[in-house]
Amino acid sequence: MNPTVVGLRAGVRRGGIEIRQSLVNVQDLWNYFFPNLTFLVVMFFMRDATVPGTTFSLSARTLPSVLGGGLAFGALVTMMMALTIEREDGTLLRAKAIPNGMLGYLVGKVVQVSGMTLIGSVILVIPGVLLVDGVELRGPGAWLTLLWVLVLGLVACLPIGAILGSLFANPRNVGVIMLPIMGLVATSGIFYPITTFPVWLQWIGQAFPVYWLGLGTRSALLPPELAAVEIGESWRHLETFGMLAGWAVLGLVVAPIVLRRMARRESGSSVAARKEKAMQRIN
Amino acid sequence: MTIAETPGRTSEPAGSPVEQPVLDVRDLRMRYGSTDVLTGVTFTARPGEVLALLGPNGAGKTTTIEILEGFRMRSAGEVAVLGADPAHGDERWRARLGVVLQSWRDHAKWRVRELLAHLGSYYLPYSTDQIRRPWDVDDLIDAVGLNPHAGKRIGQLSGGQRRRLDVAIGIVGRPELLFLDEPTAGFDPEARREFHDLVHRLTDLEQTTILLTTHDLDEAEKLADRILILAGGSIIADGSADQLSRRMSSEAEVKWSRDGQRFVHATTDATTFVRELFQQYGDGIADLEVRRASLEDTYMALVRDFESGRSLATLREFEEASR
């Protein structure tokens, strides 16, 4: 039996086990439901507002937008948090002490974070489509678009999360990066059409994958007329594919280098030192 | 110093006299910035041997063990662990090692049995005819005494139970060489006793070679075939507990009572002294007690000697420099 295949399979199993654990854990359930229920409540209250220049419901536009933006945000932040926390608590060191353990660990994280993010999406979308009108998958083309946008979006965002996660040794410092990420979501036209923002802000939004994921999910779930309020009055599928794929390639090239560097530094004494530090903060 | 077996332990495996050492460390050096932590550590371990690495805090025990585990790069020296350089050990090599880590709160949501089965599965492709990997999960849980807790979430285990789980994770791949860094820190006496029984079982049944660090000298004496004392970045003593105390030619303490009076006498030759005592007083002797120098006495003497030697050397250097 090929040890690498064994490591890969163990990783997939590991991800599955950790997804299952997240479904019976109060903290994780809260993380699944709280943000999504908040979005749904907000959408409910703005059900009478319309997209500027159209008669289309603003909340119906927001739902697919939040699906894409939330997926990007969830994948990025969950991956980042998981890596910093599990480096501090020694999970990563355990993986390092086991043959092909690092491979299994990383595959497990990808499966776990993807799964958890998609579960969050389902929790948002199912009540969402019942709540607002005009959001639907019109034909197999729309299904296909949704599929490739979600998959490519995850592949673009997970490595960025892993890179950010390996930069912070202390989970309590992650807050430093959380604010810019939230700011990025705000400038990415998730909650309000990006065309209403100043042009320089539009350029910042378009540089990152969050905007493109939101655009992609909107293109799959909204009627074609709504493309009129987007930049260039088009869903820009080619550009979406190009930008998401670009980020994915960049991430997949850089992440292994950064992760390897991070893993190399792990040892019993580095985990012990972090434990010592964390204990001091508690006392 | 030559190596001799401690009587009563049969850790000598049948094999050729020129068998490969499991650990072969020569002139290992480690320097952080301008500080030398290890200034030339040399020792070997044969298959099935249990080595205890003792030394004051900051002597470099953990650094040494982490270099051997392949978790830390060394500055200089030659190191072979199971015949390979740990700095370039591959996954096959990794599968033959066991590392017992001091866990804290990792895998808190996992159940004991679930985690052991998962971590064990990575070892399956490294199973050989001689060594079946991984250890059967139920047997392993039984061996470390976690049977009543097999279905518990790891976050709910007590400190002692967690340490047993740490040991179980360390040995789930049936390692040929096991590293234990302060394995019983924070154990109560009962847990400590159970842990010692487990280590004896490992070395007797599995022929596992073990390198452990500890501050508990009693533990070192109980578990180890050979004791290495690390001080000032190098090994200052290497031998069985008996050899070390003989090397220090420390005195034994003889206590007895005669006519209701208690006596204490220190001697380097307790046997002769006691024989003469009986020849002289015969039945008059009661409450006889002979206490050899404990490992603790020997250890303290060795480290003290070493430190005063070092301060003498410093003094000499100073005198030479000021001349």
Coordinates of all heavy atoms in Angstrom, one line a residue, chain B residues 169-198:
Chain B
I169 N -0.3 7.3 22.3 CA -0.1 7.9 20.9 C 1.4 7.7 20.6 O 1.7 7.4 19.4 CB -0.5 9.4 20.9 CG1 -2.0 9.6 21.1 CG2 0.0 10.1 19.6 CD1 -2.4 11.0 21.3
G170 N 2.3 7.8 21.5 CA 3.7 7.7 21.2 C 4.0 6.3 20.8 O 5.0 6.1 20.0
I171 N 3.3 5.3 21.3 CA 3.6 3.9 21.0 C 2.7 3.2 20.0 O 2.8 2.0 19.7 CB 3.8 3.0 22.3 CG1 2.4 2.9 23.0 CG2 4.9 3.5 23.2 CD1 2.5 2.1 24.3
V172 N 1.7 3.9 19.5 CA 0.7 3.3 18.6 C 1.3 2.7 17.4 O 0.8 1.7 16.9 CB -0.5 4.3 18.3 CG1 0.1 5.4 17.3 CG2 -1.6 3.6 17.6
G173 N 2.4 3.2 16.9 CA 3.1 2.6 15.7 C 4.1 1.6 16.1 O 4.9 1.2 15.2
R174 N 4.1 1.0 17.3 CA 5.1 0.1 17.8 C 6.5 0.5 17.4 O 7.2 -0.1 16.6 CB 4.8 -1.3 17.1 CG 3.6 -2.0 17.8 CD 3.7 -3.5 17.4 NE 2.4 -4.1 17.7 CZ 2.2 -4.8 18.8 NH1 3.2 -4.9 19.7 NH2 1.1 -5.4 19.0
P175 N 6.9 1.6 18.0 CA 8.2 2.1 17.7 C 9.4 1.2 18.1 O 9.2 0.5 19.1 CB 8.3 3.5 18.5 CG 7.3 3.3 19.6 CD 6.3 2.4 19.1
E176 N 10.5 1.3 17.4 CA 11.7 0.6 17.8 C 12.5 1.5 18.7 O 13.3 1.0 19.5 CB 12.5 0.3 16.6 CG 11.9 -0.8 15.7 CD 12.3 -0.7 14.2 OE1 13.5 -0.8 14.0 OE2 11.4 -0.5 13.4
L177 N 12.2 2.8 18.7 CA 12.9 3.7 19.6 C 11.9 4.7 20.1 O 11.1 5.3 19.3 CB 14.0 4.4 18.8 CG 14.7 5.6 19.5 CD1 15.4 5.2 20.8 CD2 15.7 6.3 18.5
L178 N 11.8 4.9 21.4 CA 10.8 5.8 22.0 C 11.5 6.9 22.7 O 12.4 6.7 23.5 CB 9.9 4.9 22.9 CG 8.7 5.7 23.6 CD1 7.7 6.1 22.5 CD2 8.1 4.7 24.6
F179 N 11.0 8.1 22.5 CA 11.5 9.3 23.3 C 10.5 9.7 24.3 O 9.3 9.9 23.9 CB 11.8 10.4 22.3 CG 12.9 10.2 21.4 CD1 12.7 9.9 20.0 CD2 14.2 10.2 21.8 CE1 13.7 9.7 19.1 CE2 15.3 10.0 20.9 CZ 15.0 9.7 19.6
L180 N 10.9 9.9 25.5 CA 10.0 10.3 26.6 C 10.6 11.5 27.3 O 11.6 11.4 28.0 CB 9.8 9.2 27.6 CG 9.1 7.9 27.2 CD1 9.5 6.8 28.1 CD2 7.6 8.1 27.1
D181 N 10.1 12.7 27.1 CA 10.6 13.9 27.7 C 9.8 14.2 28.9 O 8.6 14.5 28.9 CB 10.6 15.1 26.7 CG 11.5 16.2 27.1 OD1 12.2 16.0 28.1 OD2 11.5 17.2 26.4
E182 N 10.4 13.9 30.1 CA 9.7 14.1 31.4 C 8.3 13.5 31.4 O 7.3 14.2 31.5 CB 9.7 15.6 31.8 CG 11.1 16.1 32.0 CD 11.1 17.5 32.5 OE1 10.1 17.9 33.2 OE2 12.1 18.2 32.3
P183 N 8.3 12.1 31.3 CA 7.0 11.5 31.1 C 6.1 11.6 32.3 O 4.9 11.5 32.2 CB 7.4 10.0 30.8 CG 8.8 9.9 31.4 CD 9.4 11.2 31.3
T184 N 6.6 11.6 33.5 CA 5.8 11.5 34.7 C 5.6 12.8 35.4 O 5.2 12.9 36.6 CB 6.2 10.4 35.7 OG1 7.6 10.7 36.0 CG2 6.2 9.1 35.0
A185 N 6.0 14.0 34.8 CA 5.9 15.3 35.5 C 4.4 15.5 35.8 O 3.5 15.3 35.0 CB 6.3 16.4 34.5
G186 N 4.1 15.7 37.0 CA 2.7 16.0 37.5 C 1.9 14.7 37.8 O 0.7 14.8 37.9
F187 N 2.6 13.6 37.8 CA 1.8 12.3 38.2 C 1.8 12.2 39.7 O 2.7 12.5 40.4 CB 2.6 11.1 37.6 CG 2.3 10.8 36.2 CD1 1.8 11.7 35.3 CD2 2.4 9.5 35.8 CE1 1.5 11.4 34.0 CE2 2.2 9.1 34.5 CZ 1.7 10.1 33.6
D188 N 0.7 11.5 40.1 CA 0.6 11.1 41.5 C 1.4 9.8 41.7 O 1.6 9.1 40.6 CB -0.8 11.1 42.1 CG -1.7 10.1 41.4 OD1 -1.1 9.1 40.8 OD2 -2.9 10.3 41.4
P189 N 1.7 9.4 42.9 CA 2.5 8.2 43.0 C 1.9 7.0 42.4 O 2.7 6.1 41.8 CB 2.6 8.0 44.6 CG 2.4 9.4 45.1 CD 1.5 10.1 44.2
E190 N 0.6 6.8 42.4 CA 0.0 5.6 41.8 C 0.1 5.7 40.3 O 0.5 4.6 39.7 CB -1.5 5.6 42.2 CG -2.1 4.3 42.0 CD -3.6 4.3 42.1 OE1 -4.1 5.3 42.6 OE2 -4.3 3.4 41.6
A191 N -0.1 6.8 39.7 CA 0.0 6.9 38.3 C 1.4 6.7 37.8 O 1.7 6.1 36.8 CB -0.5 8.3 37.8
R192 N 2.4 7.1 38.7 CA 3.8 7.0 38.4 C 4.1 5.5 38.4 O 4.8 5.0 37.5 CB 4.6 7.7 39.5 CG 6.0 7.9 39.2 CD 6.6 8.7 40.3 NE 6.0 10.1 40.3 CZ 6.6 11.2 40.0 NH1 7.9 11.2 39.7 NH2 6.0 12.3 40.0
R193 N 3.6 4.8 39.4 CA 3.9 3.3 39.5 C 3.3 2.6 38.2 O 4.0 1.8 37.6 CB 3.3 2.8 40.8 CG 3.2 1.3 40.9 CD 4.6 0.7 41.0 NE 5.2 1.1 42.3 CZ 5.0 0.5 43.5 NH1 4.3 -0.5 43.5 NH2 5.6 0.9 44.5
E194 N 2.1 3.0 37.8 CA 1.5 2.3 36.7 C 2.3 2.6 35.4 O 2.5 1.8 34.6 CB 0.1 2.8 36.5 CG -0.9 2.2 37.5 CD -2.3 2.8 37.4 OE1 -2.5 3.7 36.5 OE2 -3.1 2.5 38.3
F195 N 2.8 3.9 35.3 CA 3.6 4.2 34.2 C 4.9 3.4 34.1 O 5.3 2.9 33.0 CB 3.9 5.7 34.2 CG 4.8 6.2 33.1 CD1 4.3 6.3 31.8 CD2 6.2 6.3 33.3 CE1 5.2 6.7 30.8 CE2 7.0 6.7 32.3 CZ 6.5 6.9 31.1
H196 N 5.5 3.2 35.3 CA 6.7 2.5 35.3 C 6.5 1.0 34.9 O 7.3 0.4 34.1 CB 7.3 2.5 36.7 CG 7.8 3.8 37.1 ND1 8.2 4.2 38.4 CD2 8.0 5.0 36.4 CE1 8.6 5.4 38.4 NE2 8.5 5.9 37.2
D197 N 5.4 0.5 35.3 CA 5.0 -0.9 34.9 C 4.9 -1.0 33.4 O 5.3 -1.9 32.8 CB 3.7 -1.4 35.6 CG 3.9 -1.6 37.1 OD1 5.1 -1.6 37.5 OD2 2.9 -1.6 37.8
L198 N 4.2 0.1 32.8 CA 4.0 0.1 31.4 C 5.4 0.1 30.6 O 5.5 -0.6 29.7 CB 3.2 1.3 31.0 CG 3.0 1.6 29.5 CD1 2.2 0.5 28.9 CD2 2.2 2.9 29.3

